[in-house]
Amino acid sequence: MRKKILLYHYTRLFTVSLFIGLVCAILAESLKRLTEHTEHFMYNRIEQTEPLLLFILPSVGITIIYFLRKYLFKNRKNKGITEIYKTLDQRKDHLPLFKIPSHYINGFLTVIFGGSTGIEVSTVVATATVGNAAYERGHTAFAYKKELVCAGVAAGVAVLFGSPLAGWLFALEVIARKVNKTILISCTAAALVAGLWVHFFDAVPLLPFAVNTWKVTSVPFYIILGALGGLLAVYTTILVIRVKELFASIHNNFIRVNLGALMVGSMIYSLPYLFGDSYHGLKEVLNTVTTSSFDLSFLWIILLLVILKPVAASLTLGAGGDGGVFAPSIVAGSFLGILFAICCNYLLGTQLVLLNFALVGAAATLAAAIHAPLTSLFLVCSLVPNGYHLFVPVLLGSYVGKICAAKILPYNVYTYHLSAAKNEVPVITGQS
């Protein structure tokens, strides 16, 4: 009898997770496409007609978000992935339904108006809320809250990056943090649906570049880059936490919103590559450095991008934009990889492939920023058409980056508040 009851509950969990996967795939796809096309349209139109508008555009977007939060969403705060941890650790707390439109709209507005972050965290929280809503309606056994939340997240991330494996692993590594049979059932069901969605509707990789090959002699350079990616992630984590704490201490809403947004606007006006999620900027930089007319003076711009992308993302979040460290880590890490490879080629006479190092840099920085090396491995390999040719270098970079970052900081942006609550936060991240 017990086996029959378990089989019934597992079957129901699998079925409900399939439905959640479909809903979240549609949600993630619509936000991804809407943001991508609108961001592209606004950036190209403004850059060609009136570039000065880049300076004030983030202020417009974050001001709209401020008023939406105040009047439409009744001053209820969005705290990103931290609120998912809270609802999973305290079963009586739930993700209210308003978080779906709140994160969807605010994530969209942040990026299209130039806020230097991405829609990944907005998508994660919105899709987690879909899973929580299914749980609240009693569609499965009472014990399966984490399973349904993870199902939603798995599908959302899978569609965003066109990789069901990356979505599946993100739900396990970052959200669930502990794996059991029911978690595997729910995440697998949702990832299957998301994988079918990607196959039939969205099979185009983010970057239109092809990996050719890699050499074993480059392994030491990949390891060094992995360590540098870990340091970059630590820099990003501390910066985001410090800037958000600083802006939270500013009680005047007008000053808080516009101070951060205008600083972001000034950086975007000076370096348009920083606009929005900066995926377009990454494509432009890769196109520039792989042409025969590449000028070494461009290295200074790449160095500035490595340093300023985390700064712009931190200011965007501090001012009230919606987002996280996903896109900034991928982009800044890619710029770091490009810069590292070019310097090695010119100073040491190596022949390192820039695209390969861009991808390994992205994986190392992302793995270190979210403490999820397997997620980063499969996510980054899916960014280009044949990225799995770089499986070993990306694997090396991901684990080296994560290990180096964890040695310096035992937490990331998502788990900082959990560590602080347990008095595990080192002095380095205290109030300045």
Side-chain angles (χ1 to χ4, degrees), residues 4 35 41 46 79-80 82 98 100-101 112 116 127 151 226 232 235 274-275 277 289-290 304 315 407:
K4 289 184 178 179
T35 304
F41 172 79
I46 290 170
K79 296 182 179 180
T82 303
F98 88 88
I100 299 175
I112 68 165
S116 203
T127 52
L232 178 59
Y235 163 70
L274 295 172
F275 187 94
D277 53 32
V289 298
T290 53
L304 283 174
L315 290 169
K407 289 287 185 183

Side-chain angles (χ1 to χ4, degrees), residues 370-389:
I370 65 175
H371 288 190
L374 290 176
T375 298
S376 302
L377 167 64
F378 288 97
L379 189 153
V380 169
C381 284
S382 69
L383 293 182
V384 295
N386 54 347
Y388 285 95
H389 288 330

Side-chain angles (χ1 to χ4, degrees), residues 98-119:
F98 88 88
K99 290 193 176 295
I100 299 175
S102 173
H103 280 283
Y104 190 104
I105 295 170
N106 292 345
F108 168 72
L109 291 174
T110 298
V111 174
I112 68 165
F113 281 100
S116 203
T117 181
I119 59 168

